[in-house]
Amino acid sequence: MATATPSKPVSDLVEATVRFCGDSGDGMQLAGTQFTTTSALLGNDVATFPDFPAEIRAPRGTKAGVSGFQIHFSSTQIFTPGDTVDALVAMNPAALVTNIGDLRDGGILLVNKDAFDKKGLEQAGYETDPLEDGSLDKYKLHSLEITKLTRLAVDGLGLSQKEADRCRNFFAMGLVFWLYDRSLDPTLRFIEKKFGKLPAVAQANTNALKAGFNYGETVEAIHTQYHVGPAKLKPGTYRNIEGNLALAWGLVAAAQLSNKRLFLGAYPITPASDILHYLSNYKHFDVLTFQAEDEIAAVTATIGAAFAGEMAVTASSGPGIALKGEALGLAVMTELPMLVINVQRGGPSTGLPTKTEQADLNQALFGRNGECPMPVVAARSPGDCFYVVQEAWRIATKFMLPVFVLTDGYIANGSEPWKIPKVAELPRIEIHHPSANGDEFQPYVRDERLSRPWAIPGTPGLEHRIGGLEKANITGNVSYDPVNHEKMCLLREQKVANVADDIPLQEIDGPESGDLLVLSWGGTYGSCATAVHTAQKSGQKVTHCHLRYLNPFPKNLEKILRSFDKVLIPELNLGQLNAIIRARFLIDTIALNKIQGKPFSVIEIVNKINSRVG
């Protein structure tokens, strides 16, 4: 096994945070992914935060083209990718200037000094060379000739200089692997699998990886190696998983558990596109994916699939959801079960397409014409995506309505260890379609939940009207009667409200009453949970309440809110849940808002807690 033979002091750490950053073509996402996989296999708890440039082909060496990948790995349970960085790998000046602010004082800084030429410095906005002007003295700076050393490592393999330089990320990877006592074996297996049909490329990447590893062991300037032991997680079989993959698998599981074909109608959009990519690989699970010509075609095809009796799903981000708005009204009017997935990103318009935000809550709740209510649920972490879509599909089929599922760019692209569930333990989703009984079929007759029957087209005796014009209750005939319209609006609203009788009561983490309640939703879970645990350890009477169900709210939420002197609501928007809570319950809440395309750091929430409780 390719691990270091310790000839330098080894320092044991509880946790560490590493960030790789460079041009989008420097392979930083690959470096981060491999480091994450290796750490997960070692048994660490991990949380990641990939950071992509918004421009597809930004000029090389510019700040607009910087790509990064942050990994927080620990011997204890963690919930965030880390507030500050312990070790930063910067492949060029632009990467350095855009990321150095997150490196802690005394942190390790590994820089490819070969990229710090006059042009590179000018593109990054440096007037002097930071490697020589003393501005980096508060860090453990290691200025390395990564480009030169990589070229030497792959010399003789017949690669062009451009091809050789593509291996620089493996050299940087190898060095960081040595620094944190990681095995090379998983990445060596990856190289063989990925590049096995290109022997020269495979050998070059292998040479570069080992060269970086051996450089760490032999160079005198790096004095210490660090070790982070395995975490004590719940017993089980784990794998590292990102949010979009977990969501895709959750959809497949929900289809299998309900004995349905899965249909996804989607149009590519960052950061939701991977859901379409992943599901297109699962035709053997009776999954049908449709890449439509636009968002409107995608959602209307999905409604057609729901009408045909399939598990119907459409996925997009905020701009695409806006285009789907009118058709979502049709889904509500026809009372058909389907899932609408919104992987939120920074807006408005194109906004920050590769950055995270949770500013589409109002869109999910109110972004349709007329009185058009829909249940809304939100995932809290990458692994939770697997379960939240199964719960959403259960609600959709039980109450016969479309359901919104909210995730965000941070959850979608981030990853964490995920305990692989036992299939037999996943709850089945029972669906019953009516059959003809000799009586006239009434498509809008309702059960105790106000759900109408889901009739499969073509079933003899179940012929019925469906469409976007208002329906007469019970018969489903087109009706312009004003009293009937009001009645149908109230029925659809009440049906959504009835979901509250079928979801769990809200749980809390901490005392049942006290000085402060931190109320969160979506991807802010990790930073809020960690901040509250920090406050609790210092003796503060603080409790955390994280919402999965955003419409309707759990039935006991108001009681929880009124049990605390103050309620703090951190959100990556300008206060959307805060406004809803204040309006619904008439409680004077405290907002903590951030719209910078980045998740909350733990310290931001800790400081806010201290300012309100201390």
Side-chain angles (χ1 to χ4, degrees):
M1 184 171 68
T3 56
T5 302
S7 58
K8 297 181 180 180
V10 177
S11 177
D12 288 324
L13 302 175
V14 174
E15 60 185 355
T17 301
V18 174
R19 183 184 297 173
F20 295 89
C21 56
D23 264 316
S24 57
D26 283 339
M28 297 295 93
Q29 302 300 321
L30 176 60
T33 301
Q34 287 301 306
F35 192 90
T36 301
T37 299
T38 299
S39 298
L41 289 172
L42 184 64
N44 297 139
D45 195 5
V46 297
T48 69
F49 181 49
D51 188 21
F52 303 97
E55 297 184 29
I56 296 175
R57 289 186 177 87
R60 185 169 182 81
T62 63
K63 289 184 281 187
V66 173
S67 175
F69 195 107
Q70 182 167 315
I71 316 102
H72 183 196
F73 54 106
S74 176
S75 58
T76 61
Q77 189 175 29
I78 56 175
F79 300 101
T80 74
D83 275 14
T84 58
V85 177
D86 297 301
L88 177 67
V89 178
M91 299 298 285
N92 61 26
L96 179 65
V97 74
T98 54
N99 287 273
I100 191 62
D102 293 328
L103 182 63
R104 66 171 175 83
D105 290 356
I108 299 169
L109 179 57
L110 305 174
V111 176
N112 177 24
K113 73 176 184 179
D114 291 334
F116 281 67
D117 54 17
K118 181 180 179 181
K119 180 180 178 181
L121 293 170
E122 289 177 351
Q123 285 177 308
Y126 282 115
E127 295 181 359
T128 61
D129 188 343
L131 305 183
E132 299 177 355
D133 63 11
S135 61
L136 303 175
D137 287 350
K138 62 181 178 180
Y139 310 111
K140 296 176 182 176
L141 173 62
H142 300 284
S143 182
L144 315 172
E145 297 177 315
I146 293 180
T147 301
K148 178 181 177 181
L149 293 170
T150 301
R151 291 174 183 175
L152 290 173
V154 305
D155 187 37
L157 295 176
L159 300 183
S160 68
Q161 182 172 296
K162 184 177 181 180
E163 291 171 328
D165 288 348
R166 287 176 181 165
C167 302
R168 287 177 299 190
N169 61 329
F170 281 93
F171 184 95
M173 231 189 294
L175 177 55
V176 180
F177 276 34
W178 176 86
L179 188 64
Y180 286 101
D181 195 22
R182 313 279 99 173
S183 169
L184 296 185
D185 290 347
T187 301
L188 291 172
R189 292 193 294 268
F190 165 80
I191 291 172
E192 179 59 31
K193 182 178 180 181
K194 179 75 173 177
F195 304 107
K197 295 181 180 180
L198 301 169
V201 175
Q203 189 61 54
N205 287 328
T206 298
N207 289 2
L209 181 71
K210 292 182 177 179
F213 190 89
N214 293 332
Y215 182 88
E217 175 63 22
T218 57
V219 69
E220 295 183 3
I222 302 178
H223 305 291
T224 306
Q225 188 180 31
Y226 301 94
H227 177 76
V228 178
K232 294 181 180 179
L233 302 175
K234 293 181 180 180
T237 302
Y238 286 80
R239 61 153 290 155
N240 190 55
I241 199 166
E242 64 176 31
N244 275 342
L245 179 59
L247 194 147
W249 285 2
L251 292 173
V252 174
Q256 295 293 309
L257 292 167
S258 57
N259 195 30
K260 285 291 179 185
R261 171 188 285 188
L262 172 58
F263 175 89
L264 175 74
Y267 180 79
I269 183 172
T270 302
S273 298
D274 280 341
I275 300 170
L276 174 62
H277 300 160
Y278 289 134
L279 286 178
S280 65
N281 295 321
Y282 298 121
K283 297 180 179 65
H284 53 292
F285 283 118
D286 207 15
V287 174
L288 178 61
T289 54
F290 169 51
Q291 180 174 321
E293 65 269 28
D294 55 41
E295 297 281 6
I296 298 172
V299 66
T300 50
T302 302
I303 294 171
F307 176 61
E310 311 290 5
M311 178 181 175
V313 183
T314 189
S316 189
S317 188
I321 298 297
L323 292 170
K324 296 178 191 290
E326 181 183 0
L328 293 181
L330 175 62
V332 170
M333 176 69 79
T334 54
E335 299 185 45
L336 286 168
M338 57 183 277
L339 301 187
V340 184
I341 298 167
N342 182 354
V343 186
Q344 301 165 95
R345 72 189 203 188
S349 187
T350 306
L352 304 174
T354 62
K355 310 300 180 183
T356 195
E357 204 166 88
Q358 51 177 175
D360 294 347
L361 177 59
N362 281 342
Q363 183 185 45
L365 290 170
F366 312 119
R368 296 164 296 282
N369 67 297
E371 296 294 339
C372 194
M374 288 174 59
V376 180
V377 297
R380 73 180 194 181
S381 68
D384 188 46
C385 291
F386 177 80
Y387 297 100
V388 79
V389 289
Q390 294 178 55
E391 172 66 353
W393 181 237
R394 184 191 68 82
I395 293 171
T397 56
K398 195 169 186 177
F399 290 85
M400 284 295 290
L401 38 63
V403 176
F404 250 111
V405 179
L406 298 179
T407 74
D408 57 50
Y410 167 56
I411 294 175
N413 296 317
S415 64
E416 66 181 354
W418 177 63
K419 184 181 177 183
I420 300 173
K422 296 180 180 178
V423 175
E425 296 177 356
L426 296 175
R428 296 200 63 81
I429 301 172
E430 299 294 339
I431 297 175
H432 302 285
H433 296 289
S435 56
N437 57 11
D439 298 330
E440 182 181 0
F441 178 63
Q442 304 288 1
Y444 283 82
V445 68
R446 300 179 185 278
D447 62 15
E448 69 280 2
R449 292 183 293 272
L450 301 182
S451 301
R452 76 173 188 85
W454 191 7
I456 301 298
T459 305
L462 301 187
E463 296 83 1
H464 61 283
R465 288 177 179 269
I466 198 167
L469 290 171
E470 184 62 274
K471 302 293 178 288
N473 192 33
I474 309 300
T475 66
N477 294 328
V478 173
S479 173
Y480 296 102
D481 177 49
V483 175
N484 175 76
H485 173 61
E486 183 173 61
K487 181 176 182 178
M488 292 298 284
C489 287
L490 292 172
L491 280 172
R492 289 188 288 265
E493 181 183 48
Q494 186 60 49
K495 183 162 65 166
V496 173
N498 288 347
V499 174
D501 296 325
D502 198 64
I503 60 177
L505 294 176
Q506 180 63 44
E507 296 182 350
I508 58 175
D509 181 2
E512 294 184 358
S513 62
D515 297 329
L516 180 70
L517 178 73
V518 176
L519 181 67
S520 61
W521 69 277
T524 60
Y525 169 77
S527 52
C528 288
T530 305
V532 169
H533 293 163
T534 301
Q536 290 170 344
K537 289 177 182 177
S538 68
Q540 294 173 323
K541 294 181 180 179
V542 180
T543 293
H544 184 208
C545 176
H546 188 83
L547 295 174
R548 166 177 280 189
Y549 304 94
L550 294 161
N551 192 38
F553 290 128
K555 297 175 70 174
N556 62 330
L557 179 60
E558 182 175 6
K559 180 181 178 182
I560 292 173
L561 295 172
R562 296 193 181 280
S563 298
F564 293 84
D565 296 339
K566 300 173 183 175
V567 178
L568 172 65
I569 306 180
E571 295 182 83
L572 298 178
N573 56 45
L574 291 179
Q576 295 183 15
L577 177 64
N578 182 67
I580 293 164
I581 294 293
R582 291 170 69 94
R584 181 75 59 85
F585 302 115
L586 302 180
I587 293 175
D588 189 16
T589 55
I590 304 163
L592 174 59
N593 305 119
K594 180 178 180 179
I595 46 171
Q596 301 175 11
K598 297 180 179 180
F600 280 112
S601 65
V602 174
I603 194 62
E604 288 174 312
I605 301 174
V606 168
N607 288 342
K608 190 67 173 181
I609 291 173
N610 290 338
S611 72
R612 309 307 296 195
V613 178

